[in-house]
Amino acid sequence: MRTRPDDSSPPPVRGERLRSDQRGITPAVGKALEVGVVVLFVGVLTTTLYGNAVPEYRDTVGDEVADRTVAAAAERVENAVPPHVRRARVVHRVDLPERIRGASYRIAAVNRSLVVHHPSRAVEARTRLALPAHVDAVVGEWESGAETVVVVSGTNGGVTVRLTDQDRLEGGPS
């Protein structure tokens, strides 16, 4: 005996075939499960990347950029100092990246070295300057984003190397 579609008979027992009006929900449930699995996968992947891998990568790249920046700046400072001249005034422009790891930073002269000061503890760099013996002092600091210059000035007593920016430079470039 066949039942009609509008029949309110109980659901089929296991092993019985589904009627056409009872099979209509199966594709919708299947698609909903597929969408749920994809959303779960994307959520887990995003959490993993932004929680662990991406910040570590940014720290590593930031540290490398800081090392290269301080090395290039040290080279400019060392090239600005005349080898055997005690009376001089030399001004060299030093190009620095505006940001390292997405943040502003400073480069300071500390004990004849250049040191990067960055808000992220993972980004650090330091390099010792190879300067002639007649250089008495290395002073000052650079702020990222400014027009940075190194000023070498000397009298008969000795030579001073100063890190500054173009706006604070008195007397202008020579």
Side-chain angles (χ1 to χ4, degrees):
M1 168 175 194
R2 269 180 87 87
T3 59
R4 293 185 309 223
D6 58 346
D7 192 9
S8 59
S9 60
V13 181
R14 188 174 182 171
E16 289 185 24
R17 293 187 57 133
L18 291 175
R19 295 187 321 240
S20 63
D21 65 333
Q22 293 174 323
R23 290 184 304 163
I25 198 162
T26 305
V29 170
K31 290 296 177 189
L33 287 174
E34 288 175 16
V35 168
V37 168
V38 168
V39 168
L40 181 64
F41 175 73
V42 169
V44 167
L45 185 65
T46 302
T47 301
T48 302
L49 286 178
Y50 284 105
N52 188 19
V54 171
E56 285 182 19
Y57 174 76
R58 290 184 70 205
D59 289 343
T60 302
V61 170
D63 197 40
E64 285 293 323
V65 171
D67 285 341
R68 290 179 186 176
T69 300
V70 78
E75 182 180 1
R76 283 300 277 172
V77 169
E78 292 164 357
N79 289 339
V81 178
H84 300 292
V85 178
R86 291 186 182 267
R87 294 188 61 140
R89 177 170 166 84
V90 178
V91 177
H92 275 290
R93 182 183 164 108
V94 179
D95 293 322
L96 301 174
E98 284 193 36
R99 297 182 177 276
I100 295 177
R101 199 190 178 277
S104 298
Y105 62 96
R106 295 180 302 117
I107 296 179
V110 178
N111 297 329
R112 293 177 75 99
S113 296
L114 296 182
V115 180
V116 173
H117 297 284
H118 193 274
S120 173
R121 291 183 184 170
V123 177
E124 57 183 26
R126 170 187 287 268
T127 189
R128 184 99 172 124
L129 294 169
L131 297 172
H134 65 275
V135 174
D136 291 333
V138 181
V139 296
E141 69 179 25
W142 291 317
E143 294 282 334
S144 65
E147 290 185 40
T148 53
V149 294
V150 57
V151 179
V152 178
S153 56
T155 61
N156 287 334
V159 174
T160 301
V161 175
R162 186 167 48 101
L163 312 180
T164 189
D165 60 53
Q166 192 71 38
D167 295 337
R168 291 188 217 158
L169 186 62
E170 63 269 348
S174 56

